[in-house]
Amino acid sequence: MLRWGRALRPRRGGAPGGAPGRPLRTAAPLSSDIFRELGRGLGRLGQTLKDQLPALEHGAGGWTPPGTPAGPRPPEEADVVVVGGGVVGWSVAFWLKALEGRRHGMRVLVVERDPTYSRASTVLSAGGIRQQFSLRENIQMSRFSASFLRNINEHLGVPNEPPIDIQFQPSGYLFLAPPQRAAKLEATVRLQREEGAQVALLSPTQLKAKFPWMDTEDVAVASYGLEDEGWFDPWTLLNAFRYKAMSLGVHSCSGEVQGFITSAEDTVSLQTARIKYVHIHMPDSLEYQPVTCAIVINAAGAWAEEVMGAAGLPGVLCQPPLPIQPRKRYVFSWHCPNGPGFSCPFLIDTTGAYFRRDGIAGNYLGGMSPPEEDEPDTSDLSVDHDFFQERVWPRLARRVPAFESLRPRGAWAGFYDYNAFDRNGVLGRHPKLENLFLAAGFSGHGLQHAPAVGRAVAELVVKGRYESLDLRRLGCRRLVEGEPLEEDGVV
């Protein structure tokens, strides 16, 4: 309700100027006090109206005029536009501000088309972190991220706000290998140890002694992470990056990047170009805002290749195409009161099925990737519950006999930003678009590598080179030259 000023109210007992049927009295000369009172009343009215209307710049206010896009509008210009407001995008934005050298020196804008994060890969993941990868760069990023998360309040803590608790569960990852893959797992563990990871090799006898609830008949060897492995709450990490970045001056808006204006003129002979404007379309609207920018970072996850197909980017400049596509993955939850106890790790079975404990009351979650020929439709996030009954449950019950009597509780689906080329992230400067940087294609391990990826991309933008980790092999050159970096540890 609007709170009208006292000087604008009618007098009690009738309409302004006198009651009906009575002669009007002659008005007395207006004094300066009346003008002052009228001015104060109008001032209060103006402030009241201002309080009631939405502060569009900051996304505040409880009412939006019809036709006005929800949330803050994008600015007309920015130094850096980050496309994608998942954990990778917000990590990049945070590190850009952390490394810029002077306060408010760089205007960073994060564009997220799903501000509710209802379809975001970050919050729909199982939340794991591990160092057990087969590629040296992935091991190094995991170790960097583990250190970052261990000291998260030193990095992402905001003054006068409660400390961040990502609810880390340090129960480790456990990879099981059959006889035909035993030698390869042992070689991978040697590489992990060279990079400083604490990983143990367990024989079937040792495995059974440590985890008596497990059937080990077909297991030749297992690798078990002894520290800095487990799982945490993805939503908390995403919001920690987001709040810290915004406290450092990062701007954000809801919208979708659907167009670019480049410096390209002759698209036939053109070899390189720069992006000059990004067109951000407002949600539920035909309106768009052109944003002048110096740098664009594609951190759109599963939709990174879709961004590259936006209007205004000549096809000759988008070669080679990003081999990144959305792949739908299911996560199922179940209850089993006699299942593995508190020491239950994040277990990766010989069949590719996985599960982990979810709390301490006999609840678990897990799933598995389908065969390549049976990839589910990605047009929505519906769940095929028969996949659990027919594919996942038999494998779980084979490994953990207690799971024969489990009771399903629920399920959800999320997207992998799947790199069909070699299942590794694509990082760094685009080969033909000079001011475009890439940070996508992590094939399921983007959440755990986000702190390291954000730092690496920010170093390239701010300092022109990698400093913390040498991730040059993850650049676009391997796509151009057709030389994949295979990662065996994709779950």
Side-chain angles (χ1 to χ4, degrees):
M1 293 291 292
L2 295 177
R3 300 183 298 275
W4 294 94
R6 185 169 51 193
L8 298 182
R9 291 197 190 108
R11 292 195 301 269
R12 292 184 179 180
R22 294 183 182 179
L24 292 175
R25 291 180 293 180
T26 304
L30 295 176
S31 67
S32 58
D33 292 338
I34 293 176
F35 284 111
R36 282 196 296 270
E37 179 66 17
L38 180 61
R40 283 194 291 267
L42 290 173
R44 288 193 294 269
L45 172 60
Q47 183 60 49
T48 299
L49 289 171
K50 183 178 179 181
D51 291 341
Q52 296 295 325
L53 292 174
L56 291 178
E57 181 180 357
H58 300 95
W63 175 76
T64 301
T68 302
R73 295 178 60 85
E76 294 183 356
E77 59 182 30
D79 295 305
V80 182
V81 174
V82 180
V83 184
V87 69
V88 171
W90 278 109
S91 175
V92 171
F94 158 72
W95 282 112
L96 285 171
K97 299 300 288 184
L99 298 179
E100 69 178 346
R102 63 188 181 91
R103 185 80 170 182
H104 306 304
M106 185 186 308
R107 186 164 191 166
V108 180
L109 172 66
V110 176
V111 184
E112 171 56 42
R113 70 176 183 176
D114 176 21
T116 67
Y117 292 98
S118 61
R119 295 167 58 88
S121 301
T122 299
V123 298
L124 295 173
S125 73
I129 181 170
R130 57 187 165 97
Q131 298 161 87
Q132 296 185 65
F133 287 93
S134 65
L135 193 69
R136 193 177 298 273
E137 286 84 352
N138 287 334
I139 302 169
Q140 292 171 351
M141 285 192 289
S142 288
R143 287 185 52 74
F144 180 96
S145 294
S147 175
F148 180 92
L149 296 179
R150 193 184 306 114
N151 302 290
I152 189 169
N153 281 284
E154 297 179 12
H155 298 289
L156 302 183
V158 176
N160 302 318
E161 292 293 331
I164 302 163
D165 180 9
I166 62 171
Q167 302 173 48
F168 177 61
Q169 300 292 316
S171 295
Y173 267 68
L174 181 67
F175 281 81
L176 308 182
Q180 62 270 28
R181 294 205 299 267
K184 191 167 189 177
L185 180 63
E186 291 173 358
T188 300
V189 169
R190 286 195 293 272
L191 174 64
Q192 293 160 0
R193 289 173 174 172
E194 288 175 9
E195 293 297 330
Q198 299 297 310
V199 182
L201 283 171
L202 302 178
S203 68
T205 301
Q206 294 171 317
L207 192 62
K208 186 70 173 178
K210 185 167 182 59
F211 305 110
W213 41 263
M214 185 188 309
D215 186 324
T216 62
E217 182 178 351
D218 62 335
V219 178
V221 67
S223 60
Y224 181 48
L226 301 177
E227 67 177 24
D228 293 337
E229 291 194 346
W231 56 91
F232 60 90
D233 179 29
W235 179 244
T236 299
L237 180 61
L238 170 62
N239 277 297
F241 269 121
R242 181 169 173 265
Y243 291 148
K244 182 63 175 183
M246 294 179 73
S247 76
L248 295 175
V250 172
H251 301 263
S252 69
C253 72
S254 301
E256 185 172 1
V257 173
Q258 292 186 351
F260 298 91
I261 301 296
T262 72
S263 60
E265 295 181 0
D266 182 0
T267 60
V268 176
S269 59
L270 193 67
Q271 297 298 316
T272 62
R274 295 181 62 84
I275 296 173
K276 299 167 63 178
Y277 296 91
V278 172
H279 282 178
I280 301 174
H281 283 246
M282 304 293 97
D284 302 320
S285 172
L286 297 177
E287 186 181 3
Y288 72 88
Q289 171 71 51
V291 179
T292 307
C293 57
I295 299 290
V296 177
I297 297 171
N298 185 349
W303 318 111
E305 170 58 18
E306 181 180 295
V307 169
M308 299 300 295
L313 285 183
V316 67
L317 292 177
C318 296
Q319 300 299 321
L322 284 181
I324 299 171
Q325 54 192 241
R327 294 279 181 95
K328 186 161 70 174
R329 295 291 181 263
Y330 309 123
V331 180
F332 302 94
S333 65
W334 63 89
H335 179 71
C336 183
N338 299 320
F342 187 74
S343 64
C344 175
F346 201 129
L347 186 145
I348 314 299
D349 191 43
T350 57
T351 62
Y354 71 85
F355 75 91
R356 68 164 174 84
R357 178 173 47 81
D358 186 22
I360 57 175
N363 296 319
Y364 306 86
L365 59 81
M368 66 176 291
S369 295
E372 188 82 17
E373 63 274 11
D374 293 332
E375 284 291 341
D377 176 38
T378 58
S379 61
D380 58 35
L381 286 175
S382 61
V383 175
D384 179 5
H385 293 275
D386 290 340
F387 185 78
F388 180 77
Q389 298 285 337
E390 299 171 2
R391 301 285 187 92
V392 181
W393 190 354
R395 290 168 170 80
L396 294 174
R398 168 69 180 83
R399 185 61 56 207
V400 183
F403 282 165
E404 292 179 359
S405 59
L406 63 77
R407 186 172 71 252
R409 298 175 62 230
W412 69 87
F415 293 117
Y416 272 15
D417 56 333
Y418 191 83
N419 181 352
F421 182 67
D422 60 10
R423 303 189 294 180
N424 279 304
V426 181
L427 297 180
R429 194 185 299 270
H430 190 274
K432 295 186 177 180
L433 292 161
E434 298 173 353
N435 59 337
L436 174 66
F437 292 78
L438 303 168
F442 300 100
S443 305
H445 46 267
L447 172 67
Q448 59 188 297
H449 287 164
V453 168
R455 169 98 190 196
V457 174
E459 287 174 348
L460 285 181
V461 172
V462 176
K463 303 183 179 183
R465 64 186 184 280
Y466 290 123
E467 290 189 346
S468 302
L469 300 172
D470 185 356
L471 302 180
R472 286 176 293 177
R473 290 204 305 163
L474 293 177
C476 287
R477 176 177 292 182
R478 73 186 200 273
L479 305 181
V480 175
E481 298 176 352
E483 298 179 355
L485 292 172
E486 294 293 346
E487 171 56 63
D488 298 325
V490 174
V491 178

